[in-house]
Structure formats: structure tokens, C-alpha cells
Amino acid sequence: MFGDIGETKECQLKDPMDLFHSGQVVKICAPMVRYSKLAFRTLVRKYSCDLCYTPMIVAADFVRSAKARDSEFTTNKGDHPLIVQFAAKEAQVLCDAARIICPFADGIDLNCGCPQRWAISEGYGACLINKPELVKDMVRHVRSQIDNPKFSVSIKIRIHEDLKKTVDLCQKAEAAGVSWITVHGRSIEERHQPVHYDAIKIIKRSMSIPIVANGDIKTLKDAENVHHLTEADGIMVARGLLANPAMFAGYEETPVQCIQDWVDIALEHGTPFTCFHHHLMYMMERITSKQEKKVFNVLSSTSAVLDYLNDHYGVW
């Protein structure tokens, strides 16, 4: 997958900032552990998703291990524009990861929002929102060491209880040259509480760079409402796209054609069975009965899943 840092590859690299200058709200597939990999990104791009992120990758492992690079990251010519999200806590490590990825992707994103205990205990993720100078330093270092001016450097954050701290963090990142900021409108402690869209609006009005809103967006109507509430330049969706990869194209629930497309794409990419099956479980959640779920969710082979889909939906 990778050669020397300077090696180039025939990728259709794009400038992600062009999306934010288009006058349209940018529709974005979030970084999701295990799920936002190449096959799923290929699927959502067929259904009006403008920009895709990889799952979070630990930058130190990525830099240190060729095995980690090959297992954590795959792409192809059609997989653009693409943002690779890294967990990092040292500026030079993030720069090294960015330099490796630069020929293959259109930008990197620094994860400053993951609330999981393991990430925070390692100094990654949401704990970085309390280290604005470090975030600023990491953004500035990548900006200074990547020659390609079209290569984006973004961050994804959660909010503070005291929103002034969040605005300060965002303004420091902007001063360091960050391309855009994605704001998940909850604090580190909040999980299922309502998203603070009003906070995202305050952040948006305090900045001159694009702001992306994230949190509890499950339908295209939700996306339109959140855009209206926050004035954000982009909308990032995670679980809503898992449940309905055709969401951005205006479908209320997963259409059968989307299930067919997933089968075709997943088989073409050699997607492992567990991942292939889990995506289908999410996609069919709203369109199957409890009894059907009991049968489908315990299927244990690709052939059994294909037989079920053929018998019930005409998918083959």
C-alpha cells in the first residue's frame, strides 16, 4: 500500500475546501471505528455523501508499523475527497503520519473528541480540548511540514461546559491554520443528552473558517434542521448513515437498491463477514420485523445472508 514518503500514486486528489466554497451544505460521513472503511465509504458516496473520513487511526502506530498502515488504511481512485483521522498527542508524530498519508488522501483530521476512557488515559481524543496550545502546535506543525497547500488539516472536538473555553480553542486552531472544525455538540461527560446546537451556532459566529455540526442527525430533515439551527457549513453523520446509507440522497429508510449495492461492493472488496453482516443489520433495522431480525441477526455465513436477502428482498 505504501512506499517511501515521497512516492506518488495515481490518485484523483481533490481540495476538500472546494466543497465548503460551493455554497451548498457539505454532507459528511463521520469517522466510525470498524465501520467507515473503504467499502462503506464507496457505498455512501453513491448516495450523495460529499466527504468521507476514515476510522480513527493511532498516529504513533501508523508511523511505526507497516503492518498497522496496511491493516488500518486502504483507498482507491474513487475514494475522494478523503480525510484520514488520527489520534495523536505529539506534533512531530502527527506530522510524520500526515507526510506518509499525503499522497493518498486529501487531508487529515486530529481527533479531539473521542470520550472513551482508553483514549483519554493515553492522552488522545477529548482530553485535547483542555490543551489548546498543544492542539495549536500540532496544527501549525502539520501546516509547516506539508508542502501541498490543498491538503487540509482539520480537527474534531467536543464542547466545554464553559463555552468560552471552546471558542478560545477554536480561535487558537484557526490562528494556526486549521482548515475547518467539526463540533460534536456535547461535553466529554455527556453521552445521550440532547445536543447543544445553540453552542455550535455560537462557535460558528465566532469563527471565519467553516464549522461542521455533528450529533444526533438521523435523517436528511434532521440535517436541514441542524443546518438551520447552527448555520454550520457542513453536517457530519455517524449512526444515521449506518442505519440508512442513502440518507443524504433523501431516502427515509434504506432502499432495497442500497442493500443490493452494499452486497455488490462488500463482496468486491472482500469485506470480512462480521463487518458485512453488521452493516446489513444496521441497514435493515427499520425495515424488518422483530421476528425477521431474530432470524437474520444470527446468520453465520455470507452464503446464508445472500440466500436470505434473495428470498426476502430479491437481492442476489
Side-chain angles (χ1 to χ4, degrees):
M1 184 70 230
F2 296 96
D4 295 331
I5 287 172
E7 182 185 342
T8 57
K9 180 188 176 190
E10 194 181 344
C11 285
Q12 305 299 314
L13 296 181
K14 298 179 180 180
D15 183 351
M17 289 303 294
D18 287 346
L19 292 170
F20 291 103
H21 296 145
S22 69
Q24 302 293 316
V25 180
V26 184
K27 301 186 286 294
I28 304 170
C29 179
M32 292 179 278
V33 175
R34 293 185 299 276
Y35 293 120
S36 50
K37 296 201 169 186
L38 176 59
F40 188 68
R41 299 195 301 264
T42 303
L43 178 67
V44 295
R45 289 185 195 279
K46 286 177 71 81
Y47 289 92
S48 302
C49 185
D50 300 316
L51 181 64
C52 291
Y53 281 53
T54 68
M56 181 184 77
I57 299 169
V58 176
D61 296 342
F62 190 80
V63 170
R64 186 169 52 240
S65 164
K67 185 178 178 182
R69 294 196 286 276
D70 288 339
S71 67
E72 295 286 337
F73 178 76
T74 52
T75 189
N76 60 25
K77 288 183 187 178
D79 188 30
H80 296 279
L82 175 66
I83 306 302
V84 178
Q85 189 186 67
F86 285 114
K89 57 185 175 182
E90 297 164 300
Q92 194 53 53
V93 173
L94 183 62
C95 287
D96 292 344
R99 283 216 306 275
I100 292 169
I101 213 75
C102 188
F104 308 97
D106 305 282
I108 64 156
D109 184 83
L110 174 63
N111 186 316
C112 305
C114 178
Q116 292 185 49
R117 282 184 194 156
W118 76 264
I120 290 173
S121 68
E122 292 283 337
Y124 300 136
C127 68
L128 291 175
I129 66 171
N130 296 314
K131 301 176 181 178
E133 293 298 334
L134 176 57
V135 172
K136 181 178 178 180
D137 192 43
M138 286 197 276
V139 171
R140 185 189 288 130
H141 265 74
V142 177
R143 270 276 168 257
S144 67
Q145 292 189 31
I146 297 294
D147 293 334
N148 180 0
K150 294 183 177 181
F151 190 79
S152 66
V153 182
S154 57
I155 63 174
K156 184 173 187 287
I157 67 170
R158 283 183 170 239
I159 60 173
H160 298 81
E161 300 278 339
D162 178 0
L163 202 59
K164 289 177 185 172
K165 291 183 178 179
T166 317
V167 171
D168 176 66
L169 167 69
C170 292
Q171 289 176 340
K172 282 185 165 69
E174 179 176 4
V178 81
S179 304
W180 69 84
I181 298 173
T182 300
V183 183
H184 180 89
R186 291 188 176 99
S187 68
I188 296 173
E189 292 77 24
E190 291 175 321
R191 291 294 187 273
H192 304 293
Q193 291 89 335
V195 177
H196 302 285
Y197 296 121
D198 55 333
I200 300 176
K201 183 176 183 176
I202 290 168
I203 294 165
K204 167 62 186 168
R205 291 190 166 184
S206 305
M207 310 295 292
S208 57
I209 56 170
I211 296 296
V212 173
N214 172 234
D216 276 5
I217 300 160
K218 296 187 172 67
T219 66
L220 188 60
K221 185 69 177 167
D222 287 347
E224 290 165 355
N225 289 341
V226 170
H227 168 63
H228 178 72
L229 288 169
T230 63
E231 301 172 2
D233 305 275
I235 299 293
M236 177 182 281
V237 180
R239 283 178 304 223
L241 278 174
L242 282 182
N244 179 7
M247 186 196 106
F248 282 139
Y251 291 91
E252 295 286 316
E253 57 190 28
T254 308
V256 171
Q257 183 58 50
C258 185
I259 295 171
Q260 178 73 68
D261 289 336
W262 171 243
V263 169
D264 295 342
I265 291 166
L267 294 181
E268 182 185 342
H269 283 83
T271 301
F273 172 74
T274 301
C275 182
F276 169 64
H277 189 208
H278 280 185
H279 272 296
L280 286 167
M281 286 160 63
Y282 278 114
M283 290 162 63
M284 295 164 62
E285 174 73 23
R286 295 181 201 163
I287 60 175
T288 50
S289 66
K290 276 189 178 179
Q291 189 56 43
E292 287 172 325
K293 286 184 186 66
K294 280 182 182 176
V295 175
F296 184 79
N297 292 358
V298 298
L299 296 176
S300 58
S301 70
T302 300
S303 59
V305 167
L306 294 178
D307 286 344
Y308 181 96
L309 293 175
N310 190 18
D311 291 344
H312 290 76
Y313 296 99
V315 170
W316 54 278

